[in-house]
Every structure is written in structure tokens, then in C-alpha cells.
Amino acid sequence: MTSFMVIFCILIPLAIAVTSKDTKTEPHISDKGSLPFRKAFHNRTYRLLLAGFATCGFHMVIIESHLFSQYVSYGIEETAASWAFSCYGIATIAGALLSGFFSTRLHKGKLLAFYYGFRAVWAAFYLFILPKTIATAVLFSIGLGLTGDATVSPTSGLVNENFELKHVATLVGLLFFAHQIGAFFSAWLGGLFYNIIGSYTLIWLVDIALCLFASTMSAKIHLTQKETN
């Protein structure tokens, strides 16, 4: 952590030095303050993205905080569970690359609706239909990974399409703030529910409901932009 802190502290003056001569991106007085946020919250597409991305954080941190323990609770040996969980990480790389490719060719709202909807269906399929073996754990991990980071490309792309470039980083940062709030609640509630009922089923049911909600919100992005056009 100390090493990371030193690196980040070095980046601050470096960023100032690199951008100090870039007068073209300097905001006017009227653009300062909370103007980007006012514009964002009056933009229906951004509000829908905010609703979806908060649930994305909830979904992701169930995986990152609880999935390994869940596999072990099914009787899968810890080393095998670790290998199954590693497949998730590898699949997120492939999913992110594919999503970037598709985001340049398909409507981003439709992509998000598919990703969130797939998460809900895939989680329900594993919980209630598939046997709990190492093979199905690997399969489940790969399916989760393919949509794990896939939401980032269409989400940031939609922000870029709807707002000025100088505001994009700030507004994407706000989306990630909502993402992390969702992440906190899934990490906390997952452990709480497990202590109460002795399984992870309840947290996944909440996640399935939230993913279906996010899918619906994302589908409305396409309808919103269609009406605008």
C-alpha cells in the first residue's frame, strides 16, 4: 500500500505538468462547479445507466467476495475451487475484449440489457438446475466472467456519446461510485445472509432480481435514444 501511495502521489504533479499547456480543454466559468452533474441527472440515459451500474457492482462483488466460499460449501475441494474461480478472471479478459468489439457495432443499450439479463438467467440456471460439481463450477465461472467486465465498454461509450469529452471522466467516476456502493451491500449482505440461513441462495436471489431490473433499465436506454432520434 505504501508503494502504491508513492506512485499515486507522483502521478498528481505529473498529470498537472502534462495538462498545464492544454488551454483548449480549460472549462469556462459557467462550466465549473456542479454543472456536469446537473446535466447528467437531467439526462434520462445517464439516470438509467446509474441504476444499472449500481446493480453491476452488487453482482460483481458477490463473485469476488463469496463465490470461492460458495464452491467450497458445495463440497468442492479448495484447490479445485481456486482453479474454477481463476477461470472467472480469465473469462473477464475475453468478455471485456469482445464487449469492446461489439460496442462499436451494436446498440450499447441493447448490449447492456443482454449482459444484465444473461447474468440473472445464468445465476438461476446454476443455482437451481446444474449439479454442484467442479465441472459445472468451471462452466459457471466462465459464464460469469464473460459478462463480468463487459458492461464497462457500452456504459462508458454511452456517457461519451451523451456528454462533452471534458465531463466524461467525472461522470464515469460517479457511475463507479454507485458501482462501489452496490459492491459494499453485496459483500456485507452475502456474509450476513450466510450467517442467518447457512447458504448463499438468498443473496443470489436478490442479485437475480437486481440484474433483471438493470436489464429493464438498459433496454429503456435504447427506447429513449430511439425517441430522441
Side-chain angles (χ1 to χ4, degrees):
M1 290 301 296
T2 303
S3 300
F4 276 121
M5 182 182 68
V6 171
I7 293 171
F8 287 133
C9 288
I10 293 172
L11 286 175
I12 294 171
L14 181 62
I16 294 171
V18 169
T19 60
S20 60
K21 295 182 180 180
D22 190 3
T23 56
K24 292 182 179 179
T25 61
E26 203 54 39
H28 298 294
I29 294 176
S30 61
D31 289 336
K32 293 181 179 179
S34 62
L35 184 59
F37 298 111
R38 288 204 303 269
K39 286 183 177 179
F41 288 120
H42 281 87
N43 183 288
R44 189 165 185 258
T45 294
Y46 189 81
R47 295 197 304 270
L48 293 170
L49 285 174
L50 197 61
F53 214 56
T55 69
C56 181
F58 191 96
H59 173 83
M60 293 284 287
V61 174
I62 295 175
I63 300 166
E64 293 161 7
S65 297
H66 300 297
L67 187 60
F68 170 79
S69 299
Q70 184 174 359
Y71 287 155
V72 173
S73 73
Y74 290 147
I76 298 173
E77 197 268 332
E78 289 187 357
T79 302
S82 297
W83 280 106
F85 187 64
S86 70
C87 292
Y88 166 78
I90 296 170
T92 57
I93 300 172
L97 291 171
L98 287 171
S99 183
F101 173 80
F102 289 131
S103 292
T104 62
R105 289 160 174 79
L106 301 173
H107 189 280
K108 298 174 183 63
K110 287 183 177 180
L111 279 176
L112 287 171
F114 171 77
Y115 294 150
Y116 292 128
F118 177 83
R119 289 175 177 183
V121 172
W122 192 240
F125 185 63
Y126 179 72
L127 283 177
F128 301 112
I129 296 177
L130 290 179
K132 306 304 182 283
T133 65
I134 181 59
T136 59
V138 169
L139 183 65
F140 184 52
S141 295
I142 292 173
L144 291 175
L146 288 174
T147 63
D149 287 339
T151 57
V152 176
S153 295
T155 298
S156 59
L158 284 167
V159 175
N160 190 58
E161 290 174 4
N162 283 271
F163 300 96
E164 296 175 74
L165 184 59
K166 62 186 176 183
H167 295 151
V168 167
T170 301
L171 295 177
V172 171
L174 181 60
L175 289 174
F176 271 102
F177 178 70
H179 182 280
Q180 295 309 98
I181 292 174
F184 162 78
F185 280 106
S186 70
W188 174 55
L189 290 174
L192 180 66
F193 291 163
Y194 186 83
N195 286 337
I196 293 172
I197 65 174
S199 79
Y200 292 102
T201 301
L202 183 55
I203 192 66
W204 279 109
L205 289 175
V206 174
D207 178 62
I208 289 169
L210 289 175
C211 285
L212 291 174
F213 169 76
S215 181
T216 303
M217 295 301 101
S218 299
K220 289 183 177 182
I221 293 173
H222 171 64
L223 297 176
T224 297
Q225 296 192 331
K226 190 175 181 180
E227 290 171 2
T228 303
N229 295 333

